[in-house]
Amino acid sequence: MLFRSLAAERDIELQSSTPDSELIIDADYNRIMQVLTNLVSNAIETCSAGGHISVRVKDVSSEIAVEVQDDGPSIKSSETEIIFNRFARIEKQLHHGKEQKLALGLPIAKELVEMHGGCIWVESEDGQGNNFYFTLPKAGIQKKQLLRR
């Protein structure tokens, strides 16, 4: 995975799992990798040393589901409603303190996922970290391989 060395530099454990079978979807490979890159880099940015990040890809009926789970600071419930909106200012808890940040990565990720016919969302419980999910349909005309083991 792209981020193993960055995670290791920050003493963050990064795990990934995919189904044994190859997953084929109708998607722009580069744009979906942009979504995944955004979610994983955000998780690395917010996790403290000794933290854990897990990336899981699942085959779910007519779509694939991707989950990026981290044990970093939880996103406030008031922010989970706006985090995918363009120009929303959110307070980011970084490993070196807090900062107010104009976040465009998640709104762009949302647009890219939705352009591919999928959905993206976050679930976060206070003190439990964050779970970002996105789904993409499997069927289509032009098919590209999303992930390889």
Side-chain angles (χ1 to χ4, degrees):
M1 185 168 246
L2 298 168
F3 294 102
R4 289 207 188 277
S5 60
L6 180 58
E9 285 175 21
R10 295 182 182 214
D11 191 29
I12 296 169
E13 182 182 355
L14 179 60
Q15 299 175 328
S16 63
S17 66
T18 59
D20 290 334
S21 61
E22 193 173 80
L23 297 176
I24 307 293
I25 62 170
D26 178 15
D28 180 327
Y29 177 84
N30 293 324
R31 296 295 154 236
I32 299 307
M33 290 308 295
Q34 182 179 353
V35 172
L36 190 56
T37 296
N38 179 272
L39 296 177
V40 175
S41 62
N42 283 352
I44 290 173
E45 183 180 320
T46 58
C47 274
S48 300
H52 299 83
I53 299 169
S54 174
V55 179
R56 291 191 262 318
V57 180
K58 298 177 184 175
D59 187 350
V60 182
S61 186
S62 63
E63 59 189 12
I64 65 156
V66 179
E67 175 186 12
V68 178
Q69 179 182 35
D70 69 68
D71 62 1
S74 302
I75 298 168
K76 295 176 184 175
S77 60
S78 61
E79 291 177 347
T80 60
E81 298 298 319
I82 64 165
I83 199 165
F84 294 102
N85 296 343
R86 279 194 179 267
F87 309 115
R89 290 196 179 272
I90 61 166
E91 186 177 284
K92 262 196 158 175
Q93 178 76 37
L94 302 175
H95 60 278
H96 50 51
K98 290 183 181 180
E99 73 173 331
Q100 273 285 37
K101 188 169 183 178
L102 182 64
L104 290 176
L106 291 174
I108 290 169
K110 179 182 179 191
E111 287 178 21
L112 292 172
V113 168
E114 289 177 349
M115 285 172 51
H116 285 85
C119 297
I120 188 168
W121 69 97
V122 62
E123 294 176 4
S124 185
E125 255 185 71
D126 193 29
Q128 301 297 314
N130 307 291
N131 290 19
F132 282 86
Y133 301 92
F134 69 92
T135 60
L136 297 168
K138 285 194 241 178
I141 299 168
Q142 180 184 0
K143 297 186 178 204
K144 294 197 172 198
Q145 186 171 336
L146 175 62
L147 294 173
R148 284 188 191 187
R149 279 200 103 180

